[in-house]
Every structure is written in structure tokens, then in C-alpha cells.
Amino acid sequence: MCVCVLICATFCIFCLMLLFLLGQNSVNHVDKLLLKGFRYPELEKWVRSHGYRAGQAMMLWKRLYGNNIWAHSSEELEGLNKDFRNMLTQHAEFKALHVKDIVAASDGTRKILFTLDDGLVVETVVIPCESGRTTVCVSSQVGCAMNCQFCYTGRMGLRRNLTAAEIVDQAVFARRLLTSEVGSITNVVFMGMGEPLQNIENVTKAIDIMVDEQGLQFSPRKVTVSTSGLVPQLKRFLRESNCALAVSLNATTDEVRNWIMPINRKYNIGLLLETLREELRLKHKYKVLFEYVMLAGINDSIEDAKRLVDLVRGIPCKINLISFNPHHGSLFKPTKDEKMIDFRNFLAKAGCIVLMRPSRGDDQMAACGQLGMPGEVQAPLLRVPSQFQALVEASI
């Protein structure tokens, strides 16, 4: 009997110790803070709260974002003292993302698929350029709530916003993984998955970290945030940020834009453009970029070009004509090259600054409007205006 009691007591003590250790591990994991969620003043305050000097916070910051280190663990913090590194091992988390796959397109574009801690997947694109101006296209959300009818990401609906750390880490991973192959990554565009201005708090925080002169050192002029036209957030962005703004316009009448971009039903073309006119009066030497995805037979007529010239009159801007990139379930076809050139020439003759953006990475679903993976439940396709029904039906 005594032996049985001793065995039971020993087993109970073992169980209690195991529960204690598991609890400690759980607490340690929960207590770990994700470093890439900090602006520098926040990081410095956190480092000082653990009894270390501000200078050590700056050394850590430079190893996270500068000096071609892009540290992902305390083992990569060469030059920091041992006690500080041990504290970081216990209390800090370095990575917000985990690489799932890297896909290379025939034109050299790379698409990186990241798994998040909750199992969701987000995509980032790195676009090399012969001029040396390599761009990383980052996502701001998993999916998108805007339901633009020409966009594959919009078919997903919105799963959730990305945190500032998850946004920043896309740029860090891009530099860490691909700089040796594609050269220096100098530009950031928020044109991946999601509507950036619907996640404006985390996007602006991520931008602050990206443009920090002691960190990733992206020039504000080379960071571009794209929006479908959320007017209140657009006003705030223009007033608070020096970064570039791109507005996805894509139509010259409310009837067409209501269909292909449902956000227009809340903030129509007139309100959107008048807001830009008013806000840009307050900014010096600033041009907004209008993005115009060209859809065959929908928005690519010379009449559309005439209306577009009138719509943007008085707004300091550039116009970027984008070839539609087909995807599964799409109702649209891309405008033929000759017609795009005619459209561009009309705008140019009318005095507009106009560019044509070639598709990049489209053979690996890495091009504009092709990111993401809709599941079984998808955002609805909207009613096609009567004048386009025959055209759409013929394309299916």
C-alpha cells in the first residue's frame, strides 16, 4: 500500500511539474512581442523598460532593417552584447511571416506566398526592372472587401486586416531573400491583396517603419499607396503622408463604375475627383496617379478617353493605363494593344501625362488583379448593365 501511495504521489508531482513547465512556456510565448510592430520610439521605450540603453535599441533597429542584415533571430544580432541578445530571445519575436513558396515568372517577377500565424496565406510580388528600380508590391489585407469585378482578390471577400508587422515583414523578406538575385529593392507599392486605406492605421504605421532613415530607408516618394476611392481615408492620407497616392479609377461614368467597382455607389466619381481637387491644392509639387485597367468593350472607347480628359482636368496627375490580366471566372477580356495605344495617344494629345504599364508575372498569377485564392464561398458577381450583357455573355 505504501508503495502505491508513493507511486501516486510521485506521479502527481510529475504532472504538476509538467503543467507548470507548459504554463511557463505558454506565458513566455504570449509575452513575446513582435519587434516589427514597433515604430522606432516604441522600440526604444520597450528596450529601456528592460534596463538597456537607447543606443542598444538603435543597434537592434539597424540589424532588423539596415546594414544588409535583416535579422530574423537573436543569433543574427552580431555586435550586440550577450545579455541583451538573451533578453531578446526570451521576450521578442522577430518574424511575422513564414515563407510557404516562391514562384518565378518567365519575365523574372517573383511571387512570394507567406503563411500567417493563423494559417491564412498572403502574397507579395517582387518586380525587377532593367533600370535598377526594383519594386516590392505588398499586401495590406488577406482578401479584399471592395469586390471589384475585374479583380481576382476581390472574389475572396475580406478575411482580415494585416498587422503593421505583417506588412513590414513583406518588404524585409523581399530584401532578405531576393536582393542578391534582383538587385536593390528601392520602391514599395501597396497594390497587392486588399484595400490599403480600409486598413489605414496599420498601413500608415508600416509606412513610418519603411521610410525610417535609420532602417529600411525607402524614400517617401518611392512608396505608393493605391486606393479604390475611400474618400474620408483618402483625405486623411493626403493630409498626413508625403507618400505617393494612386487612385484606381477604371471608368468614366458612374453607371460603369457602379458595376465594376461597387465602392462608387458610396463615393461616386464626382465626389472622388472633387475631393482630390480640393486636397491637392494644399500639397506642393504633388501628382496623384490614376490607374485605369482597360477592359475590352467596357471602358476603352475614344468617348471614354474624351470623358477621362474632362474628368481629370484641374487635377495634378498622371494616368497609368493597365492591361487587364485574365483569371478564372472573369467576365472581361483585355483591350487589344493597338486600341490601348490609340487611347493613350488621344490622352497625350489632350495634354495628359500618360503611361502604359505592361503586365508583369501574369503567367504565374502574379500580375495586377491576379493575387489570392478564392475559396468555396466567394463575393457575388454583380448585375451587368444591359448595354454590356451581350458582350459579357459572348466572352464567357
Side-chain angles (χ1 to χ4, degrees):
M1 176 140 180
C2 291
V3 173
C4 290
V5 170
L6 183 60
I7 292 172
C8 287
T10 304
F11 180 73
C12 288
I13 292 170
F14 172 77
C15 289
L16 288 170
M17 290 179 65
L18 182 61
L19 286 170
F20 175 77
L21 290 172
L22 289 173
Q24 285 295 101
N25 287 340
S26 175
V27 169
N28 286 341
H29 177 73
V30 171
D31 283 348
K32 283 192 172 185
L33 289 177
L34 194 51
L35 296 179
K36 293 193 179 76
F38 287 132
R39 294 181 175 94
Y40 178 72
E42 297 166 335
L43 179 70
E44 182 182 305
K45 182 179 179 181
W46 181 79
V47 167
R48 290 169 69 97
S49 74
H50 284 271
Y52 296 92
R53 294 178 293 103
Q56 289 170 298
M58 178 54 71
M59 292 172 70
L60 171 60
W61 183 263
K62 288 183 176 180
R63 282 155 180 77
L64 289 174
Y65 300 120
N67 300 340
N68 294 337
I69 297 174
W70 308 300
H72 270 164
S73 71
S74 57
E75 286 76 26
E76 297 177 341
L77 300 177
E78 186 177 341
L80 273 63
N81 73 54
K82 185 177 179 181
D83 287 344
F84 188 38
R85 293 202 308 270
N86 288 340
M87 184 278 289
L88 292 171
T89 300
Q90 294 176 25
H91 297 288
E93 186 66 52
F94 287 75
K95 291 192 291 186
L97 306 170
H98 309 279
V99 176
K100 180 181 180 183
D101 197 9
I102 302 177
V103 181
S106 59
D107 62 10
T109 298
R110 311 298 204 284
K111 181 167 74 170
I112 312 173
L113 286 77
F114 293 107
T115 303
L116 310 179
D117 283 343
D118 56 9
L120 295 173
V121 175
V122 70
E123 299 180 7
T124 304
V125 179
V126 176
I127 309 165
C129 182
E130 290 181 0
S131 67
R133 191 186 64 186
T134 295
T135 298
V136 57
C137 176
V138 300
S139 295
S140 55
Q141 298 177 311
V142 183
C144 184
M146 297 299 103
N147 196 22
C148 296
Q149 298 292 283
F150 51 83
C151 180
Y152 196 50
T153 309
R155 309 294 307 127
M156 294 177 63
L158 177 63
R159 308 293 171 83
R160 71 168 174 87
N161 286 334
L162 294 182
T163 65
E166 289 167 336
I167 297 170
V168 169
D169 221 10
Q170 294 174 65
V172 173
F173 262 105
R175 281 188 169 173
R176 181 182 172 103
L177 294 172
L178 296 174
T179 294
S180 61
E181 296 179 40
V182 301
S184 179
I185 297 174
T186 58
N187 292 46
V188 182
V189 293
F190 283 75
M191 298 180 184
M193 299 165 67
E195 163 54 65
L197 295 190
Q198 195 180 30
N199 187 19
I200 190 168
E201 296 294 340
N202 289 329
V203 164
T204 53
K205 187 173 189 178
I207 289 172
D208 288 345
I209 297 167
M210 289 177 177
V211 302
D212 188 281
E213 293 181 355
Q214 299 297 326
L216 289 171
Q217 299 180 341
F218 286 106
S219 165
R221 295 182 297 104
K222 295 183 178 181
V223 176
T224 302
V225 174
S226 177
T227 180
S228 59
L230 301 181
V231 167
Q233 293 92 328
L234 180 151
K235 283 184 177 181
R236 176 181 165 185
F237 178 82
L238 286 172
R239 292 177 184 183
E240 295 180 4
S241 177
N242 292 321
C243 294
L245 177 71
V247 175
S248 192
L249 189 59
N250 306 318
T252 61
T253 67
D254 282 326
E255 182 181 20
V256 173
R257 200 166 190 265
N258 285 347
W259 166 37
I260 64 174
M261 298 186 69
I263 191 63
N264 196 72
R265 302 173 187 185
K266 187 170 186 178
Y267 306 114
N268 65 27
I269 292 175
L271 175 61
L272 174 61
L273 297 184
E274 188 54 36
T275 299
L276 287 168
R277 282 190 185 89
E278 292 175 3
E279 294 299 321
L280 292 181
R281 290 192 189 107
L282 306 175
K283 296 185 79 76
H284 182 60
K285 293 184 178 179
Y286 189 98
K287 287 184 172 68
V288 67
L289 178 66
F290 285 114
E291 299 170 299
Y292 198 91
V293 177
M294 301 201 68
L295 309 170
I298 306 296
N299 64 358
D300 60 351
S301 69
I302 292 301
E303 289 303 312
D304 282 301
K306 291 176 181 177
R307 285 191 292 267
L308 184 55
V309 169
D310 291 335
L311 286 171
V312 303
R313 186 170 284 117
I315 301 176
C317 67
K318 298 178 182 179
I319 300 171
N320 199 359
L321 303 181
I322 303 169
S323 180
F324 169 67
N325 296 299
H327 53 262
H328 178 71
S330 168
L331 299 177
F332 306 105
K333 290 184 177 180
T335 297
K336 293 185 183 301
D337 290 346
E338 315 86 72
K339 195 165 187 178
M340 279 189 73
I341 292 170
D342 289 342
F343 197 98
R344 178 201 63 186
N345 290 346
F346 184 93
L347 297 178
K349 287 178 181 176
C352 298
I353 301 172
V354 57
L355 313 165
M356 286 179 62
R357 185 203 295 178
S359 292
R360 297 293 303 274
D362 54 320
D363 61 332
Q364 291 293 342
M365 291 293 286
C368 178
Q370 290 185 325
L371 302 186
M373 183 57 67
E376 292 183 6
V377 179
Q378 298 186 9
L381 292 174
L382 303 181
R383 184 184 64 82
V384 180
S386 56
Q387 69 267 39
F388 300 118
Q389 285 177 357
L391 178 70
V392 168
E393 288 170 4
S395 69
I396 297 176

